[in-house]
Amino acid sequence: MSDSERETRHKARMARKKAVIDAHIAAADEERGLLLINTGNGKGKSSAAFGVLARALGHGLNCAVVQFIKNRSDTGEEAFFRDHPRVKWHVMGDGFTWDTQDNAQDTATARVAWEQAMVYLKDPAIDLLILDEFTYTLKYRWLPLDEVTHELDGRPAMQHVIITGRAAPEGLIEIADTVTSMELTKHAYHAGVKAMPGIEW
Amino acid sequence: MSDSERETRHKARMARKKAVIDAHIAAADEERGLLLINTGNGKGKSSAAFGVLARALGHGLNCAVVQFIKNRSDTGEEAFFRDHPRVKWHVMGDGFTWDTQDNAQDTATARVAWEQAMVYLKDPAIDLLILDEFTYTLKYRWLPLDEVTHELDGRPAMQHVIITGRAAPEGLIEIADTVTSMELTKHAYHAGVKAMPGIEW
């Protein structure tokens, strides 16, 4: 096959692809608030949510973040976003389960954070709400799944919500619009590299 | 099992978990620039890179972004980041292959963007470089893999690089430190929902 034949075939293949994609785009015409879940054991669940936060702010949206596990306020993302006039940022965790080692305390902490989240879930002025590391509150049964799905279903029609964390339960996945599973293929940490500021936190 | 027995067992299990995790953290003591790849067919590859960009800026790092496919400058992420004094932002694509339908033009476009990327790959003042949608330049053979891996290997020792895009080739994965595959579990777009500003772009 000559170069010009190859170019002609490439052009024809791409023209067919474009027709299929354009038809899909035309068919997708509903507008509403989305529920996105970033789950899986890989990296990027929270950072993808914070990337969307940047994107949403770039479009002028009002945003809120509730962090359910994290109890440190020295992260790069918080330093970067917390003073933005259209972001409300709440670090409401108590650290990891293996740090607290106290299930009753973890349950109480999760409840307080969830009360804060519910304030935003009733507020149509919030366009994007990020519930960071929220899945653990369900995994460890600190919060009842049916209460959570009920509140999510009842939120303002145009409000987007992003939930992050490993092991998202089936009942949450059922009501979500978009679910991504971040899978770990390779991790520098296992090769002995320290958690680098600006990359890992 | 009584509640107090359950609490005692939980505490013991978490104490064992903490010992294992603390030992791992102590063993990971190497500091260097990382090569991260976000690949797979799911969402979040670019947004996870932009979330890390926010994190890196929060830690005071100097950053650069080269977009290899995108040719639009109306994205939320660009609006949000482009005026930041520690970000250099380059939209250098020509659109998707099915839009250009011209392989020779795509090859030339990729080369120009790669020349810009190489300027940063030789500059130790750049702490984080994002090569967005870069994998397609390798998939379509617009750039030779061995040239790319050679330049990545020779970059400044403390420089982090994040590469995004579907179908990262094996030769790139081999030299990466951390590789995440974003897998699509469910997507609102397939249910007829329009690409929402602030979420999809």
Side-chain angles (χ1 to χ4, degrees), chain A residues 52-121:
Chain A
V52 173
L53 174 61
R55 179 174 285 166
L57 291 169
H59 280 288
L61 304 189
N62 293 305
C63 307
V65 177
V66 181
Q67 297 193 286
F68 279 79
I69 303 295
K70 199 149 283 160
N71 64 347
R72 61 194 284 186
S73 275
D74 61 348
T75 62
E77 54 270 32
E78 185 179 346
F80 186 70
F81 286 115
R82 77 181 147 213
D83 296 327
H84 193 286
R86 281 185 281 105
V87 177
K88 295 170 194 302
W89 192 284
H90 303 266
V91 179
M92 300 197 71
D94 229 0
F96 294 109
T97 48
W98 55 86
D99 284 326
T100 63
Q101 302 176 19
D102 185 334
N103 202 43
Q105 179 190 326
D106 290 342
T107 304
T109 303
R111 172 57 58 182
V112 174
W114 174 237
E115 296 289 338
Q116 179 60 68
M118 281 195 289
V119 170
Y120 294 126
L121 284 170

Coordinates of all heavy atoms in Angstrom, one line a residue, chain A residues 52-121:
Chain A
V52 N -11.6 18.3 38.3 CA -13.0 18.8 37.8 C -13.3 20.0 38.6 O -14.0 20.9 38.1 CB -14.0 17.7 38.0 CG1 -15.4 18.2 37.8 CG2 -13.7 16.5 37.1
L53 N -12.9 20.1 39.9 CA -13.1 21.4 40.6 C -12.5 22.6 39.9 O -13.2 23.6 39.8 CB -12.6 21.2 42.0 CG -12.6 22.4 43.0 CD1 -14.0 22.9 43.3 CD2 -11.9 22.0 44.3
A54 N -11.3 22.4 39.5 CA -10.6 23.5 38.7 C -11.4 23.9 37.5 O -11.7 25.0 37.2 CB -9.2 23.1 38.4
R55 N -11.8 22.8 36.8 CA -12.6 23.0 35.5 C -13.9 23.7 35.8 O -14.3 24.7 35.1 CB -12.9 21.6 35.0 CG -13.7 21.5 33.8 CD -13.8 20.0 33.3 NE -12.5 19.6 32.7 CZ -12.2 18.3 32.5 NH1 -13.0 17.4 32.8 NH2 -11.0 18.1 31.9
A56 N -14.6 23.3 36.9 CA -15.9 23.9 37.3 C -15.7 25.4 37.7 O -16.5 26.3 37.3 CB -16.5 23.2 38.4
L57 N -14.6 25.7 38.4 CA -14.4 27.1 38.8 C -14.1 27.9 37.5 O -14.5 29.1 37.5 CB -13.2 27.1 39.8 CG -13.5 26.5 41.2 CD1 -12.2 26.4 41.9 CD2 -14.5 27.4 41.9
G58 N -13.4 27.3 36.6 CA -13.1 28.0 35.3 C -14.4 28.4 34.6 O -14.4 29.3 33.8
H59 N -15.4 27.6 34.8 CA -16.7 27.9 34.2 C -17.6 28.8 35.1 O -18.8 29.0 34.8 CB -17.5 26.6 33.8 CG -17.0 26.0 32.5 ND1 -17.2 26.5 31.3 CD2 -16.2 24.9 32.3 CE1 -16.7 25.8 30.4 NE2 -16.1 24.8 31.0
G60 N -17.0 29.2 36.2 CA -17.8 30.2 37.1 C -18.7 29.5 38.1 O -19.6 30.2 38.7
L61 N -18.6 28.2 38.2 CA -19.5 27.5 39.1 C -19.1 27.7 40.6 O -18.0 28.0 40.9 CB -19.5 26.0 38.8 CG -19.9 25.5 37.4 CD1 -20.1 24.0 37.4 CD2 -21.2 26.2 36.9
N62 N -20.1 27.5 41.5 CA -19.9 27.6 42.9 C -19.7 26.2 43.5 O -20.5 25.3 43.2 CB -21.1 28.3 43.6 CG -21.2 29.7 43.3 OD1 -20.2 30.5 43.4 ND2 -22.3 30.1 42.7
C63 N -18.7 26.0 44.3 CA -18.3 24.6 44.6 C -18.1 24.5 46.1 O -17.7 25.4 46.8 CB -17.0 24.2 43.9 SG -17.1 24.5 42.1
A64 N -18.3 23.2 46.6 CA -18.0 22.9 48.0 C -17.3 21.6 48.1 O -17.6 20.7 47.3 CB -19.2 22.9 48.9
V65 N -16.4 21.4 49.0 CA -15.6 20.2 49.2 C -15.8 19.8 50.7 O -15.5 20.6 51.6 CB -14.1 20.3 48.9 CG1 -13.3 19.1 49.2 CG2 -13.9 20.8 47.4
V66 N -16.2 18.5 51.0 CA -16.2 18.0 52.3 C -15.3 16.8 52.3 O -15.5 15.8 51.6 CB -17.6 17.6 52.8 CG1 -17.5 17.1 54.2 CG2 -18.5 18.8 52.7
Q67 N -14.2 16.8 53.1 CA -13.3 15.7 53.2 C -13.6 14.9 54.4 O -13.6 15.3 55.5 CB -11.8 16.2 53.2 CG -11.5 16.9 51.9 CD -10.0 17.2 51.8 OE1 -9.4 18.0 52.5 NE2 -9.3 16.4 50.9
F68 N -14.0 13.6 54.2 CA -14.5 12.7 55.2 C -13.5 12.0 56.1 O -13.8 11.5 57.2 CB -15.5 11.7 54.6 CG -16.9 12.4 54.4 CD1 -17.1 13.2 53.3 CD2 -17.9 12.2 55.3 CE1 -18.3 13.8 53.1 CE2 -19.1 12.8 55.1 CZ -19.4 13.6 54.0
I69 N -12.3 11.8 55.6 CA -11.3 11.0 56.3 C -10.1 11.8 56.7 O -9.6 11.8 57.8 CB -10.8 9.8 55.5 CG1 -12.0 8.9 55.0 CG2 -9.8 9.0 56.2 CD1 -12.7 8.2 56.2
K70 N -9.7 12.6 55.7 CA -8.5 13.5 55.9 C -8.6 14.4 57.1 O -9.7 14.9 57.3 CB -8.3 14.3 54.7 CG -6.9 14.9 54.5 CD -6.5 15.0 53.1 CE -6.2 13.7 52.5 NZ -6.3 13.6 51.0
N71 N -7.6 14.5 57.9 CA -7.6 15.4 59.1 C -6.4 16.4 59.0 O -6.2 17.1 60.0 CB -7.7 14.7 60.4 CG -6.4 13.8 60.6 OD1 -5.6 13.6 59.7 ND2 -6.2 13.4 61.9
R72 N -5.7 16.3 57.9 CA -4.6 17.2 57.8 C -4.9 18.4 56.9 O -5.7 18.2 55.9 CB -3.3 16.5 57.3 CG -3.5 15.9 55.9 CD -2.5 14.9 55.5 NE -1.2 15.6 55.2 CZ -0.1 15.0 54.7 NH1 -0.1 13.7 54.6 NH2 0.9 15.6 54.4
S73 N -4.4 19.6 57.2 CA -4.7 20.8 56.4 C -3.5 21.3 55.7 O -3.5 22.4 55.3 CB -5.3 21.8 57.3 OG -6.7 21.6 57.4
D74 N -2.5 20.4 55.5 CA -1.3 20.9 54.8 C -1.2 20.4 53.4 O -0.1 20.4 52.8 CB 0.0 20.4 55.6 CG 0.0 18.9 55.7 OD1 -1.0 18.2 55.4 OD2 1.1 18.4 56.1
T75 N -2.3 19.9 52.8 CA -2.2 19.4 51.5 C -2.1 20.5 50.4 O -2.6 21.6 50.7 CB -3.5 18.5 51.1 OG1 -4.6 19.4 51.2 CG2 -3.6 17.4 52.0
G76 N -1.5 20.2 49.3 CA -1.3 21.1 48.2 C -2.7 21.6 47.7 O -2.9 22.8 47.4
E77 N -3.6 20.7 47.6 CA -4.9 21.0 47.0 C -5.7 22.0 47.9 O -6.3 23.0 47.5 CB -5.8 19.8 46.8 CG -6.0 18.8 47.9 CD -4.9 17.7 48.0 OE1 -3.7 18.0 47.6 OE2 -5.2 16.6 48.4
E78 N -5.6 21.8 49.3 CA -6.3 22.7 50.1 C -5.6 24.1 50.1 O -6.3 25.1 50.0 CB -6.3 22.2 51.6 CG -7.1 23.2 52.5 CD -7.2 22.7 53.9 OE1 -6.9 21.6 54.2 OE2 -7.6 23.6 54.7
A79 N -4.2 24.1 50.1 CA -3.5 25.4 50.0 C -3.9 26.1 48.8 O -4.1 27.4 48.8 CB -2.0 25.2 50.0
F80 N -4.1 25.4 47.7 CA -4.4 26.0 46.4 C -5.8 26.5 46.3 O -6.1 27.6 45.8 CB -4.1 25.0 45.3 CG -4.3 25.6 43.9 CD1 -3.3 26.5 43.4 CD2 -5.3 25.3 43.1 CE1 -3.4 27.1 42.2 CE2 -5.4 25.9 41.8 CZ -4.5 26.8 41.4
F81 N -6.8 25.7 46.8 CA -8.2 26.1 46.6 C -8.9 26.8 47.7 O -9.9 27.5 47.5 CB -9.0 24.8 46.3 CG -8.8 24.2 45.0 CD1 -8.2 22.9 44.9 CD2 -9.2 24.8 43.8 CE1 -8.1 22.3 43.6 CE2 -9.0 24.2 42.6 CZ -8.5 22.9 42.5
R82 N -8.4 26.7 49.0 CA -9.2 27.2 50.1 C -9.5 28.6 50.1 O -10.6 29.0 50.6 CB -8.6 26.7 51.4 CG -7.4 27.6 51.8 CD -6.8 27.2 53.2 NE -5.4 27.5 53.1 CZ -4.4 26.8 53.7 NH1 -4.7 25.7 54.4 NH2 -3.1 27.1 53.5
D83 N -8.7 29.5 49.5 CA -9.0 30.9 49.5 C -9.7 31.4 48.3 O -10.0 32.6 48.2 CB -7.6 31.7 49.6 CG -7.0 31.4 51.0 OD1 -7.7 31.2 52.0 OD2 -5.7 31.4 51.0
H84 N -10.1 30.4 47.4 CA -10.9 30.9 46.2 C -12.3 31.3 46.7 O -12.9 30.6 47.5 CB -11.0 29.7 45.2 CG -11.5 30.1 43.9 ND1 -12.8 30.5 43.7 CD2 -10.8 30.3 42.7 CE1 -12.9 30.8 42.4 NE2 -11.8 30.7 41.8
P85 N -12.7 32.5 46.2 CA -14.0 33.0 46.6 C -15.2 32.1 46.3 O -16.3 32.2 47.0 CB -14.1 34.3 45.9 CG -13.2 34.3 44.8 CD -12.1 33.4 45.2
R86 N -15.1 31.2 45.4 CA -16.2 30.3 45.0 C -16.1 28.9 45.5 O -16.7 28.0 45.0 CB -16.5 30.4 43.5 CG -17.3 31.6 43.1 CD -17.7 31.7 41.7 NE -16.6 32.1 40.8 CZ -15.9 31.3 40.0 NH1 -16.2 30.0 40.0 NH2 -14.9 31.8 39.3
V87 N -15.1 28.7 46.5 CA -15.0 27.3 47.0 C -15.1 27.4 48.5 O -14.6 28.2 49.2 CB -13.5 26.8 46.8 CG1 -13.3 25.4 47.4 CG2 -13.2 26.7 45.3
K88 N -15.9 26.4 49.0 CA -16.0 26.2 50.5 C -15.3 24.9 50.8 O -15.6 23.9 50.2 CB -17.5 26.1 50.9 CG -18.2 27.5 50.7 CD -19.7 27.4 51.0 CE -20.4 28.6 50.4 NZ -20.0 29.9 51.0
W89 N -14.3 24.9 51.7 CA -13.5 23.7 51.9 C -13.6 23.3 53.3 O -13.3 24.0 54.2 CB -12.0 24.1 51.5 CG -11.1 22.9 51.4 CD1 -10.6 22.2 52.4 CD2 -10.6 22.3 50.2 NE1 -9.8 21.2 51.9 CE2 -9.8 21.2 50.6 CE3 -10.8 22.6 48.8 CZ2 -9.2 20.4 49.6 CZ3 -10.2 21.8 47.9 CH2 -9.4 20.7 48.3
H90 N -13.9 22.0 53.5 CA -14.1 21.5 54.9 C -13.3 20.2 55.1 O -13.6 19.2 54.4 CB -15.5 21.1 55.2 CG -16.5 22.3 55.0 ND1 -16.9 23.1 56.1 CD2 -17.1 22.8 53.9 CE1 -17.7 24.0 55.6 NE2 -17.9 23.9 54.3
V91 N -12.3 20.2 55.9 CA -11.5 19.0 56.3 C -12.2 18.5 57.6 O -12.1 19.1 58.7 CB -10.1 19.3 56.6 CG1 -9.3 18.1 57.0 CG2 -9.4 20.0 55.4
M92 N -12.9 17.4 57.5 CA -13.8 17.0 58.6 C -13.5 15.6 59.1 O -14.2 15.0 59.9 CB -15.2 17.1 58.2 CG -15.6 18.6 57.9 SD -17.3 18.9 57.9 CE -17.7 18.9 59.6
G93 N -12.4 15.0 58.6 CA -12.0 13.6 59.1 C -11.2 13.6 60.3 O -10.9 14.7 60.9
D94 N -10.9 12.4 60.7 CA -10.1 12.2 61.9 C -8.9 11.3 61.7 O -8.3 10.8 62.6 CB -11.1 11.4 62.9 CG -11.1 12.0 64.2 OD1 -10.5 13.0 64.5 OD2 -11.9 11.4 65.1
G95 N -8.6 11.2 60.4 CA -7.5 10.3 60.0 C -8.0 8.9 59.6 O -9.2 8.6 59.7
F96 N -7.1 8.0 59.2 CA -7.5 6.7 58.8 C -8.0 5.8 60.0 O -7.6 6.1 61.1 CB -6.4 6.0 58.1 CG -6.0 6.7 56.8 CD1 -4.8 7.4 56.6 CD2 -6.9 6.7 55.7 CE1 -4.5 8.1 55.5 CE2 -6.6 7.3 54.5 CZ -5.4 8.0 54.4
T97 N -8.8 4.8 59.7 CA -9.3 3.9 60.7 C -8.1 3.3 61.5 O -8.3 3.1 62.7 CB -10.1 2.8 60.0 OG1 -9.3 2.3 59.0 CG2 -11.4 3.3 59.5
W98 N -7.0 3.1 60.8 CA -5.9 2.5 61.5 C -5.1 3.5 62.4 O -4.3 3.1 63.2 CB -4.9 1.7 60.6 CG -4.4 2.6 59.5 CD1 -3.3 3.4 59.5 CD2 -5.0 2.7 58.2 NE1 -3.1 4.0 58.3 CE2 -4.1 3.5 57.4 CE3 -6.1 2.1 57.5 CZ2 -4.4 3.9 56.1 CZ3 -6.3 2.4 56.2 CH2 -5.5 3.3 55.5
D99 N -5.4 4.8 62.2 CA -4.8 5.8 63.1 C -5.7 6.0 64.3 O -5.3 6.1 65.4 CB -4.6 7.1 62.3 CG -3.4 7.0 61.4 OD1 -2.4 6.4 61.8 OD2 -3.4 7.7 60.3
T100 N -7.0 6.1 64.1 CA -7.9 6.4 65.2 C -8.1 5.1 66.0 O -8.2 5.2 67.3 CB -9.3 6.8 64.7 OG1 -9.9 5.8 64.0 CG2 -9.2 8.1 63.9
Q101 N -8.3 4.0 65.4 CA -8.5 2.7 66.0 C -9.7 2.7 67.0 O -9.8 2.1 68.0 CB -7.2 2.2 66.8 CG -6.0 2.1 65.9 CD -4.7 1.8 66.7 OE1 -4.8 1.3 67.8 NE2 -3.6 2.0 66.0
D102 N -10.7 3.5 66.6 CA -11.8 3.7 67.5 C -13.1 3.9 66.6 O -13.4 5.0 66.1 CB -11.6 5.0 68.3 CG -12.7 5.2 69.4 OD1 -13.9 4.7 69.1 OD2 -12.4 5.8 70.4
N103 N -13.8 2.8 66.5 CA -15.0 2.8 65.5 C -16.1 3.7 66.0 O -16.7 4.4 65.1 CB -15.5 1.4 65.4 CG -16.3 1.1 64.1 OD1 -15.9 1.6 63.1 ND2 -17.4 0.5 64.2
A104 N -16.3 3.8 67.3 CA -17.4 4.7 67.8 C -17.1 6.2 67.5 O -17.9 6.9 67.0 CB -17.6 4.5 69.3
Q105 N -15.8 6.5 67.7 CA -15.4 7.9 67.4 C -15.5 8.2 65.9 O -16.0 9.2 65.5 CB -13.9 8.1 67.9 CG -13.4 9.5 67.6 CD -11.8 9.5 67.8 OE1 -11.3 8.8 68.7 NE2 -11.1 10.3 67.0
D106 N -15.1 7.2 65.0 CA -15.2 7.4 63.6 C -16.6 7.6 63.1 O -16.9 8.4 62.2 CB -14.6 6.1 62.9 CG -13.1 6.0 63.0 OD1 -12.4 7.0 63.3 OD2 -12.5 4.9 62.8
T107 N -17.5 6.9 63.8 CA -18.9 7.0 63.4 C -19.5 8.4 63.7 O -20.1 9.0 62.9 CB -19.8 5.9 64.2 OG1 -19.2 4.6 63.9 CG2 -21.2 6.0 63.8
A108 N -19.1 8.9 64.9 CA -19.5 10.2 65.3 C -18.9 11.3 64.4 O -19.6 12.2 63.9 CB -19.1 10.5 66.7
T109 N -17.6 11.1 64.0 CA -17.0 12.0 63.1 C -17.7 12.1 61.7 O -17.9 13.1 61.2 CB -15.5 11.6 62.9 OG1 -14.9 11.6 64.2 CG2 -14.7 12.6 62.0
A110 N -18.0 10.9 61.2 CA -18.6 10.8 59.9 C -20.0 11.5 59.9 O -20.4 12.2 59.0 CB -18.8 9.3 59.5
R111 N -20.7 11.3 61.0 CA -22.0 11.9 61.2 C -21.9 13.5 61.1 O -22.7 14.1 60.4 CB -22.7 11.5 62.5 CG -24.0 12.1 62.9 CD -25.1 12.0 61.9 NE -25.5 10.7 61.5 CZ -26.4 10.4 60.5 NH1 -27.1 11.4 59.9 NH2 -26.7 9.2 60.2
V112 N -21.0 14.0 61.8 CA -20.8 15.5 61.8 C -20.5 16.0 60.3 O -21.0 17.0 59.9 CB -19.7 15.9 62.7 CG1 -19.4 17.4 62.6 CG2 -20.1 15.6 64.2
A113 N -19.6 15.3 59.7 CA -19.2 15.7 58.3 C -20.4 15.5 57.4 O -20.7 16.4 56.5 CB -18.1 14.8 57.8
W114 N -21.2 14.5 57.6 CA -22.4 14.2 56.7 C -23.4 15.4 56.9 O -24.1 15.8 56.0 CB -23.0 12.8 57.0 CG -24.3 12.5 56.3 CD1 -25.4 12.1 56.9 CD2 -24.5 12.5 54.9 NE1 -26.4 11.9 56.0 CE2 -25.9 12.1 54.8 CE3 -23.7 12.8 53.8 CZ2 -26.5 12.0 53.5 CZ3 -24.4 12.7 52.5 CH2 -25.7 12.3 52.4
E115 N -23.6 15.8 58.2 CA -24.5 17.0 58.4 C -24.1 18.2 57.6 O -24.9 18.9 57.0 CB -24.5 17.3 59.9 CG -25.0 16.2 60.9 CD -26.6 16.0 60.8 OE1 -27.2 17.0 60.3 OE2 -27.0 14.9 61.1
Q116 N -22.8 18.4 57.5 CA -22.2 19.5 56.7 C -22.6 19.3 55.2 O -23.0 20.2 54.5 CB -20.7 19.7 56.9 CG -20.1 20.8 56.1 CD -20.7 22.2 56.4 OE1 -20.5 22.7 57.5 NE2 -21.5 22.7 55.5
A117 N -22.3 18.1 54.8 CA -22.6 17.7 53.4 C -24.1 18.0 53.1 O -24.4 18.5 52.0 CB -22.2 16.3 53.1
M118 N -25.0 17.6 54.0 CA -26.4 17.7 53.8 C -26.9 19.2 53.6 O -27.8 19.5 52.9 CB -27.2 17.0 54.9 CG -27.3 15.5 54.6 SD -28.5 14.7 55.6 CE -27.8 14.8 57.2
V119 N -26.2 20.1 54.3 CA -26.4 21.5 54.2 C -26.3 21.9 52.7 O -27.1 22.5 52.1 CB -25.5 22.4 55.0 CG1 -25.6 23.8 54.7 CG2 -25.8 22.1 56.5
Y120 N -25.2 21.4 52.1 CA -24.9 21.7 50.7 C -25.9 21.0 49.7 O -26.3 21.5 48.7 CB -23.5 21.4 50.3 CG -22.5 22.3 51.0 CD1 -21.5 21.8 51.8 CD2 -22.7 23.7 50.9 CE1 -20.6 22.6 52.4 CE2 -21.8 24.6 51.6 CZ -20.7 24.0 52.3 OH -19.9 24.9 53.0
L121 N -26.3 19.7 50.1 CA -27.2 18.9 49.3 C -28.6 19.5 49.2 O -29.4 19.1 48.4 CB -27.2 17.5 49.8 CG -26.0 16.6 49.5 CD1 -26.1 15.3 50.2 CD2 -25.9 16.3 48.0

